[in-house]
Amino acid sequence: MSEATPQVTPEVMSETTPEVTPEVPGKADATLASSRLAVTAFPASVAEASQPVLDWWVHHWMDAAHPLSRLQRTWVESVFEAIEVETDFLNVCALSNVKLLNCLAAARPVVGSSFLHSCYHEVAQEMADAHMARLGRVAELPEDFKQRLWEEIC
């Protein structure tokens, strides 16, 4: 049985052309055996060996923790809304204080107390309106929280 050798013409051959080697009958079996050996080789460390078990455990642990994390997220959203209500009220307080200070700075003895009286009433009305809006929003927070809890539970 004669082996066929490939014929390469000089015009086609370049430096980047790979070298062609004839197949040896026993070489394929050796390659297959070495690939099987690589598959059945042991992991290099304990962490690599235990990774599938760890992945399985984390997956099931997260399934059990998922409802608790949803409830905690709902609680944090409600706390965030309460902080937002207080921040809006503090912003109105700061703006009212600035307005009152501007009134005091602009007041001259010639203008009299009527100017300060009207300015103070305006600022006090803004603060009262802001406080009533704040109380209305704070009263809605527990209902929103209950609704969110039921949505997460159901």
Side-chain angles (χ1 to χ4, degrees):
M1 183 154 131
S2 69
E3 291 184 16
T5 57
Q7 297 292 326
V8 178
T9 57
E11 300 94 35
V12 177
M13 190 172 178
S14 68
E15 291 182 25
T16 60
T17 306
E19 196 174 304
V20 178
T21 57
E23 239 182 67
V24 179
K27 190 174 183 182
D29 295 334
T31 307
L32 182 61
S34 67
S35 68
R36 285 184 188 157
L37 188 63
V39 170
T40 59
F42 290 110
S45 69
V46 174
E48 289 177 14
S50 61
Q51 190 63 39
V53 174
L54 185 64
D55 290 342
W56 175 82
W57 180 79
V58 167
H59 174 72
H60 289 289
W61 177 74
M62 289 303 293
D63 283 345
H66 188 64
L68 293 176
S69 64
R70 288 192 327 226
L71 291 177
Q72 185 175 11
R73 187 195 74 220
T74 301
W75 178 76
V76 168
E77 286 175 354
S78 295
V79 169
F80 176 73
E81 284 183 10
I83 290 171
E84 189 177 31
V85 167
E86 293 301 314
T87 304
D88 291 344
F89 179 69
L90 289 175
N91 187 28
V92 170
C93 288
L95 293 175
S96 296
N97 284 334
V98 167
K99 187 181 279 189
L100 189 58
L101 285 174
N102 287 338
C103 289
L104 288 172
R108 306 266 194 277
V110 177
V111 176
S113 65
S114 63
F115 174 72
L116 285 177
H117 181 73
S118 66
C119 186
Y120 182 77
H121 265 309
E122 185 180 333
V123 168
Q125 186 62 44
E126 286 177 7
M127 288 292 295
D129 292 343
H131 184 64
M132 291 305 291
R134 172 185 173 213
L135 288 178
R137 288 178 65 189
V138 167
E140 293 173 359
L141 286 177
E143 294 300 319
D144 290 343
F145 180 65
K146 288 178 191 174
Q147 181 180 355
R148 285 185 186 142
L149 277 179
W150 280 111
E151 287 174 358
E152 289 300 327
I153 291 172
C154 297

mmCIF file of all heavy atoms in Angstrom, residues 41-58:
data_model
loop_
_atom_site.group_PDB
_atom_site.id
_atom_site.type_symbol
_atom_site.label_atom_id
_atom_site.label_comp_id
_atom_site.label_asym_id
_atom_site.label_seq_id
_atom_site.Cartn_x
_atom_site.Cartn_y
_atom_site.Cartn_z
ATOM 1 N N ALA A 41 -9.532 14.148 33.865
ATOM 2 C CA ALA A 41 -8.514 14.636 34.797
ATOM 3 C C ALA A 41 -9.198 15.312 35.983
ATOM 4 O O ALA A 41 -10.273 15.882 35.865
ATOM 5 C CB ALA A 41 -7.586 15.617 34.101
ATOM 6 N N PHE A 42 -8.575 15.235 37.151
ATOM 7 C CA PHE A 42 -9.130 15.829 38.357
ATOM 8 C C PHE A 42 -8.899 17.340 38.357
ATOM 9 O O PHE A 42 -7.921 17.817 37.798
ATOM 10 C CB PHE A 42 -8.490 15.209 39.599
ATOM 11 C CG PHE A 42 -8.913 13.793 39.805
ATOM 12 C CD1 PHE A 42 -8.028 12.752 39.612
ATOM 13 C CD2 PHE A 42 -10.215 13.500 40.186
ATOM 14 C CE1 PHE A 42 -8.426 11.454 39.789
ATOM 15 C CE2 PHE A 42 -10.613 12.194 40.371
ATOM 16 C CZ PHE A 42 -9.721 11.166 40.169
ATOM 17 N N PRO A 43 -9.798 18.102 39.023
ATOM 18 C CA PRO A 43 -9.614 19.559 39.107
ATOM 19 C C PRO A 43 -8.349 19.898 39.889
ATOM 20 O O PRO A 43 -7.889 19.124 40.722
ATOM 21 C CB PRO A 43 -10.847 20.053 39.848
ATOM 22 C CG PRO A 43 -11.753 18.899 40.011
ATOM 23 C CD PRO A 43 -11.018 17.660 39.655
ATOM 24 N N ALA A 44 -7.852 21.080 39.632
ATOM 25 C CA ALA A 44 -6.593 21.490 40.249
ATOM 26 C C ALA A 44 -6.764 21.878 41.705
ATOM 27 O O ALA A 44 -5.835 21.782 42.477
ATOM 28 C CB ALA A 44 -5.990 22.655 39.468
ATOM 29 N N SER A 45 -7.952 22.317 42.112
ATOM 30 C CA SER A 45 -8.121 22.758 43.487
ATOM 31 C C SER A 45 -9.462 22.298 44.039
ATOM 32 O O SER A 45 -10.349 21.872 43.303
ATOM 33 C CB SER A 45 -8.025 24.274 43.562
ATOM 34 O OG SER A 45 -9.154 24.847 42.943
ATOM 35 N N VAL A 46 -9.615 22.408 45.335
ATOM 36 C CA VAL A 46 -10.860 22.041 45.994
ATOM 37 C C VAL A 46 -11.982 22.992 45.570
ATOM 38 O O VAL A 46 -13.135 22.584 45.410
ATOM 39 C CB VAL A 46 -10.664 22.075 47.530
ATOM 40 C CG1 VAL A 46 -11.972 21.835 48.248
ATOM 41 C CG2 VAL A 46 -9.628 21.057 47.941
ATOM 42 N N ALA A 47 -11.655 24.272 45.356
ATOM 43 C CA ALA A 47 -12.666 25.250 44.937
ATOM 44 C C ALA A 47 -13.264 24.876 43.587
ATOM 45 O O ALA A 47 -14.481 24.980 43.391
ATOM 46 C CB ALA A 47 -12.048 26.642 44.866
ATOM 47 N N GLU A 48 -12.433 24.425 42.675
ATOM 48 C CA GLU A 48 -12.949 24.007 41.373
ATOM 49 C C GLU A 48 -13.803 22.757 41.501
ATOM 50 O O GLU A 48 -14.818 22.624 40.830
ATOM 51 C CB GLU A 48 -11.799 23.749 40.403
ATOM 52 C CG GLU A 48 -11.083 24.989 39.942
ATOM 53 C CD GLU A 48 -9.910 24.664 39.033
ATOM 54 O OE1 GLU A 48 -9.814 23.513 38.552
ATOM 55 O OE2 GLU A 48 -9.083 25.551 38.812
ATOM 56 N N ALA A 49 -13.406 21.841 42.368
ATOM 57 C CA ALA A 49 -14.159 20.602 42.532
ATOM 58 C C ALA A 49 -15.513 20.848 43.185
ATOM 59 O O ALA A 49 -16.499 20.201 42.863
ATOM 60 C CB ALA A 49 -13.353 19.615 43.363
ATOM 61 N N SER A 50 -15.583 21.797 44.110
ATOM 62 C CA SER A 50 -16.832 22.033 44.832
ATOM 63 C C SER A 50 -17.710 23.111 44.187
ATOM 64 O O SER A 50 -18.776 23.409 44.698
ATOM 65 C CB SER A 50 -16.526 22.420 46.278
ATOM 66 O OG SER A 50 -15.761 23.600 46.301
ATOM 67 N N GLN A 51 -17.288 23.695 43.092
ATOM 68 C CA GLN A 51 -18.045 24.768 42.446
ATOM 69 C C GLN A 51 -19.456 24.344 42.040
ATOM 70 O O GLN A 51 -20.401 25.081 42.292
ATOM 71 C CB GLN A 51 -17.270 25.321 41.248
ATOM 72 C CG GLN A 51 -17.872 26.582 40.662
ATOM 73 C CD GLN A 51 -17.867 27.741 41.655
ATOM 74 O OE1 GLN A 51 -16.918 27.923 42.395
ATOM 75 N NE2 GLN A 51 -18.950 28.495 41.671
ATOM 76 N N PRO A 52 -19.667 23.159 41.439
ATOM 77 C CA PRO A 52 -21.053 22.788 41.081
ATOM 78 C C PRO A 52 -21.973 22.676 42.295
ATOM 79 O O PRO A 52 -23.122 23.105 42.250
ATOM 80 C CB PRO A 52 -20.894 21.429 40.388
ATOM 81 C CG PRO A 52 -19.486 21.405 39.912
ATOM 82 C CD PRO A 52 -18.699 22.207 40.896
ATOM 83 N N VAL A 53 -21.470 22.131 43.397
ATOM 84 C CA VAL A 53 -22.289 22.014 44.605
ATOM 85 C C VAL A 53 -22.593 23.399 45.167
ATOM 86 O O VAL A 53 -23.713 23.684 45.590
ATOM 87 C CB VAL A 53 -21.567 21.139 45.658
ATOM 88 C CG1 VAL A 53 -22.327 21.121 46.970
ATOM 89 C CG2 VAL A 53 -21.379 19.736 45.124
ATOM 90 N N LEU A 54 -21.605 24.276 45.163
ATOM 91 C CA LEU A 54 -21.796 25.635 45.649
ATOM 92 C C LEU A 54 -22.818 26.378 44.791
ATOM 93 O O LEU A 54 -23.689 27.076 45.317
ATOM 94 C CB LEU A 54 -20.463 26.387 45.664
ATOM 95 C CG LEU A 54 -20.486 27.781 46.252
ATOM 96 C CD1 LEU A 54 -20.852 27.730 47.728
ATOM 97 C CD2 LEU A 54 -19.149 28.454 46.059
ATOM 98 N N ASP A 55 -22.730 26.231 43.476
ATOM 99 C CA ASP A 55 -23.712 26.870 42.585
ATOM 100 C C ASP A 55 -25.127 26.368 42.870
ATOM 101 O O ASP A 55 -26.080 27.143 42.912
ATOM 102 C CB ASP A 55 -23.351 26.606 41.121
ATOM 103 C CG ASP A 55 -22.105 27.340 40.684
ATOM 104 O OD1 ASP A 55 -21.710 28.303 41.373
ATOM 105 O OD2 ASP A 55 -21.517 26.945 39.664
ATOM 106 N N TRP A 56 -25.269 25.066 43.066
ATOM 107 C CA TRP A 56 -26.572 24.492 43.368
ATOM 108 C C TRP A 56 -27.117 25.041 44.685
ATOM 109 O O TRP A 56 -28.272 25.429 44.772
ATOM 110 C CB TRP A 56 -26.437 22.969 43.443
ATOM 111 C CG TRP A 56 -27.693 22.284 43.870
ATOM 112 C CD1 TRP A 56 -28.762 21.953 43.097
ATOM 113 C CD2 TRP A 56 -28.014 21.852 45.201
ATOM 114 N NE1 TRP A 56 -29.730 21.346 43.850
ATOM 115 C CE2 TRP A 56 -29.297 21.266 45.158
ATOM 116 C CE3 TRP A 56 -27.347 21.904 46.411
ATOM 117 C CZ2 TRP A 56 -29.899 20.745 46.276
ATOM 118 C CZ3 TRP A 56 -27.961 21.377 47.531
ATOM 119 C CH2 TRP A 56 -29.223 20.808 47.455
ATOM 120 N N TRP A 57 -26.276 25.118 45.713
ATOM 121 C CA TRP A 57 -26.698 25.603 47.024
ATOM 122 C C TRP A 57 -27.108 27.071 46.964
ATOM 123 O O TRP A 57 -28.140 27.456 47.511
ATOM 124 C CB TRP A 57 -25.577 25.407 48.039
ATOM 125 C CG TRP A 57 -25.948 25.893 49.402
ATOM 126 C CD1 TRP A 57 -26.714 25.258 50.329
ATOM 127 C CD2 TRP A 57 -25.588 27.152 49.974
ATOM 128 N NE1 TRP A 57 -26.845 26.037 51.448
ATOM 129 C CE2 TRP A 57 -26.166 27.206 51.262
ATOM 130 C CE3 TRP A 57 -24.832 28.237 49.540
ATOM 131 C CZ2 TRP A 57 -26.008 28.296 52.100
ATOM 132 C CZ3 TRP A 57 -24.682 29.317 50.377
ATOM 133 C CH2 TRP A 57 -25.264 29.343 51.640
ATOM 134 N N VAL A 58 -26.318 27.910 46.303
ATOM 135 C CA VAL A 58 -26.632 29.341 46.199
ATOM 136 C C VAL A 58 -27.947 29.546 45.462
ATOM 137 O O VAL A 58 -28.765 30.382 45.845
ATOM 138 C CB VAL A 58 -25.474 30.111 45.519
ATOM 139 C CG1 VAL A 58 -25.898 31.497 45.111
ATOM 140 C CG2 VAL A 58 -24.274 30.164 46.442
#
